[in-house]
């Protein structure tokens, strides 16, 4: 059994074992209530991220010791459901489309994901139905869960059969995930040590001057790059023009960033110019999907020595499902989480998309730690995480680990960790970042903008 603690996450990131002593925690009752220890998972992921930020900040500012990190369960819980707290001119976004849900099958349940129009179209084509939920339900009720899963995936859609944790452990993909560490990290070459300019401390921005090329979508990857933007990085998100992001989703995870569109086939020269100036590249597509464009970690390091590559996927870069698409809700269904959180014979869900958010903070932490290691030792580096790996940590972890706080405070709602500001999109209410350390930033310097309207170039 692994330990759900910041110490465990920090060790997986290769950090100094003594550093977690710099963390203090305000524990609160009633947050992220669930059968599984989601509060502890969230606390560990955010804690590791904040500690990695404080470490890099101390290194660049020449501080004698790493600043103290303060975790607050209220801030963490609020941020883990940031998409639910978002208001745009008073309007709340819709999180899931009508066809993204659990459905009865002939022998159990299947979970589908159809938030994006192209995924919805593929689901309907695979089942031969209209968009009427009753028609979809009838088509799935005639199939076994395994048949529905394979039929929809073969058509490029997204559907996953509900499994118990034991069934997932016996599955070839589940076994492949367990065999890998929570955080995969390593060297790509022996490039010389990175030289980052010294920074001031008002506020302490550990990633100031770092250019981040953000090739991610949905939640986990954008949460990671949103966090790097909070810490001072120049983050440019680049999407294909034919794959627009869902507007509210883009708004929630777009704080601190700029957003551009670029066709990697037609605009190759423009992309190579961006890569030549990038310090970090973060990708969130299926493993191998970007390789034909020369975006594997090895290919990136060859063209941009000294780069840090952060990779995120649903199922991991190994096993029979390595090339499959996936989302937090589907990983919960496959890994046994939905069964554990269910009741009365029906599948359930975690109180937040904790796999997405937790993995996002871990990925940001991995990038920050890689930058610290580069300053000391050099080398192009990669960091790789999977939602399924975080799910495995959650389902196998002890409820409390080392350094667990003693005593708890009351949780009186999220208001203390919400903020408002004007933007090009309207008046926004949003959750502030839970990443907090002495002297660090308290909010993003930039509001999110309209998807794809910025120029594909670096600001500085």
């Amino acid at each position: 059994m692994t330990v759900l603690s910041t110490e465990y996450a920090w060790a997986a990131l290769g950090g100094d074992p003594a550093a977690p002593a710099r963390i203090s925690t305000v524990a609160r009752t009633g947050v992220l209530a669930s059968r599984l220890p989601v509060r502890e998972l969230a606390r560990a992921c955010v804690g590791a991220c904040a500690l990695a930020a404080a470490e890099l900040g101390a290194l660049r500012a020449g501080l004698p010791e790493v600043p103290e990190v303060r975790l607050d369960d209220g801030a963490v819980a609020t941020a883990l459901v940031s998409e639910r707290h978002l208001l745009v001119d008073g309007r709340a976004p819709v999180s899931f489309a009508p066809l993204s849900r659990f459905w009865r099958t002939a022998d159990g349940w299947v979970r589908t994901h159809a938030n994006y129009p192209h995924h919805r179209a593929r689901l309907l084509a695979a089942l031969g139905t209209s968009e009427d939920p009753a028609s979809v339900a009838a088509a799935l009720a005639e199939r076994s869960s395994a048949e529905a899963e394979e039929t929809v995936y073969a058509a490029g859609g997204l559907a996953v059969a509900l499994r118990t944790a034991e069934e997932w452990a016996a599955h070839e993909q589940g076994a492949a995930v367990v065999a890998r560490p929570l955080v995969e990290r390593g060297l790509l070459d022996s490039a010389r040590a990175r030289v980052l300019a010294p920074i001031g401390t008002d506020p302490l921005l550990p990633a100031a001057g770092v250019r981040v090329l953000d090739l991610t979508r949905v939640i986990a990857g954008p949460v990671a790059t949103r966090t790097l933007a909070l810490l001072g990085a120049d983050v440019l998100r680049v999407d294909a023009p034919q794959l627009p992001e869902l507007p509210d989703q883009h708004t929630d995870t777009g704080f601190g960033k700029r957003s551009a569109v670029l066709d990697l086939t037609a605009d190759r020269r423009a992309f190579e110019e961006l890569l030549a100036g990038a310090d970090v590249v973060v990708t969130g597509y299926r493993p191998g999907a970007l390789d034909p464009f020369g975006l594997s970690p090895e290919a990136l390091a060859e063209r941009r020595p000294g780069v840090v590559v952060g990779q995120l996927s649903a199922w991991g870069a190994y096993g029979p499902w390595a090339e499959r698409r996936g989302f937090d809700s589907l990983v919960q269904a496959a890994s046994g989480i939905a069964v554990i959180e269910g009741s009365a014979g029906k599948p359930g869900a975690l109180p937040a998309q904790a796999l997405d958010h937790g993995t996002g903070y871990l990925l940001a932490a991995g990038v920050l730690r890689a930058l610290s290691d580069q300053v000391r030792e050099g080398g192009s580096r990669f960091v790789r995480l999977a939602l399924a790996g975080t799910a495995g940590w959650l389902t196998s972890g002890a409820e409390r680990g080392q350094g667990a706080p003693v005593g708890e405070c009351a949780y009186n709602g999220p208001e203390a960790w919400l903020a408002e500001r004007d933007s090009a999109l309207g008046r926004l209410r949003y959750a502030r970042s839970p990443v907090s350390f002495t002297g660090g930033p308290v909010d993003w310097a930039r509001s999110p903008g309209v998807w794809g309207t910025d120029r594909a170039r670096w600001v500085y």
Side-chain angles (χ1 to χ4, degrees), residues 18-236:
R22 305 295 295 169
I23 300 175
S24 62
T25 302
V26 177
R28 297 185 186 273
T29 57
V31 300
L32 300 173
S34 58
R35 293 190 176 94
L36 288 165
V38 176
R39 180 182 65 166
E40 285 69 27
L41 173 80
R43 186 190 289 159
C45 294
V46 173
C49 184
L51 187 57
E55 175 193 44
L56 180 59
L59 186 64
R60 295 188 64 189
L63 301 179
E65 60 182 359
V66 174
E68 293 185 354
V69 170
R70 182 179 175 84
L71 290 176
D72 192 308
D73 283 344
V76 173
T78 301
L80 240 67
V81 290
S82 60
E83 63 275 9
R84 300 181 199 170
H85 291 302
L86 178 70
L87 293 179
V88 181
D89 284 335
R91 176 189 59 82
V94 176
S95 297
F96 284 96
L99 300 185
S100 296
R101 47 168 279 197
F102 280 105
W103 307 84
R104 281 278 194 185
T105 62
D107 61 353
W109 296 86
V110 70
R111 174 87 196 211
T112 57
H113 194 288
N115 284 7
Y116 289 97
H118 58 293
H119 291 156
R120 181 171 63 252
R122 293 167 186 171
L123 170 67
L124 297 174
L127 299 177
T129 68
S130 69
E131 290 192 33
D132 179 12
S135 178
V136 174
L140 288 170
E142 296 175 349
R143 293 172 165 86
S144 69
S145 298
E147 179 190 357
E149 178 180 89
E150 293 304 321
T151 299
V152 174
Y153 262 106
L158 294 120
V160 167
L162 180 71
R163 292 175 173 85
T164 65
E166 294 75 20
E167 289 170 337
W168 180 241
H171 191 278
E172 191 175 350
Q173 187 62 34
V177 171
V178 169
R180 300 285 178 140
L182 174 65
V183 181
E184 295 185 80
R185 40 191 293 277
L187 283 166
L188 294 166
D189 59 28
S190 56
R192 62 185 181 182
R194 178 182 294 276
V195 178
L196 291 175
I199 57 174
T201 58
D202 189 25
L204 180 60
L205 295 173
V210 174
R211 291 170 169 173
V212 178
L213 190 53
D214 179 1
L215 306 178
T216 68
R217 292 174 65 79
V218 198
I219 295 178
V223 163
T225 52
R226 178 180 72 182
T227 303
L228 296 174
L230 172 82
L231 300 169
D234 177 13
V235 179
L236 177 64

Side-chain angles (χ1 to χ4, degrees), residues 57 114 177 205 333 351 369 425-426 440 445 458:
V177 171
L205 295 173
R369 286 248 54 259
L425 302 166
W458 298 114

Side-chain angles (χ1 to χ4, degrees), residues 233-281:
D234 177 13
V235 179
L236 177 64
R237 173 167 167 167
V238 175
D239 287 283
Q242 71 272 20
L243 291 175
E245 183 59 282
L246 301 175
D248 291 330
Q249 195 162 263
H250 183 263
T251 300
D252 178 54
T253 58
F255 284 88
K257 309 179 194 179
R258 292 176 298 116
S259 170
V261 294
L262 203 62
D263 187 323
L264 292 185
T265 301
D267 300 323
R268 191 67 196 191
R269 181 177 178 179
F271 178 81
E272 292 300 323
E273 290 176 354
L274 286 174
L275 176 61
D279 301 297
V280 177
V281 178

Side-chain angles (χ1 to χ4, degrees), residues 241-335:
Q242 71 272 20
L243 291 175
E245 183 59 282
L246 301 175
D248 291 330
Q249 195 162 263
H250 183 263
T251 300
D252 178 54
T253 58
F255 284 88
K257 309 179 194 179
R258 292 176 298 116
S259 170
V261 294
L262 203 62
D263 187 323
L264 292 185
T265 301
D267 300 323
R268 191 67 196 191
R269 181 177 178 179
F271 178 81
E272 292 300 323
E273 290 176 354
L274 286 174
L275 176 61
D279 301 297
V280 177
V281 178
V282 184
T283 67
Y285 290 78
R286 289 176 298 125
L290 297 178
D291 290 3
F293 299 100
L295 297 180
S296 69
E298 295 77 13
L300 289 168
E302 184 177 350
R303 305 202 305 286
R304 179 66 171 95
V307 73
V308 171
V309 181
Q311 288 186 304
L312 175 80
S313 64
W315 308 108
Y318 31 78
W321 285 15
E323 296 184 359
R324 291 196 176 192
R325 299 172 179 85
F327 293 91
D328 181 306
S329 59
L330 301 181
V331 177
Q332 288 191 42
S335 64

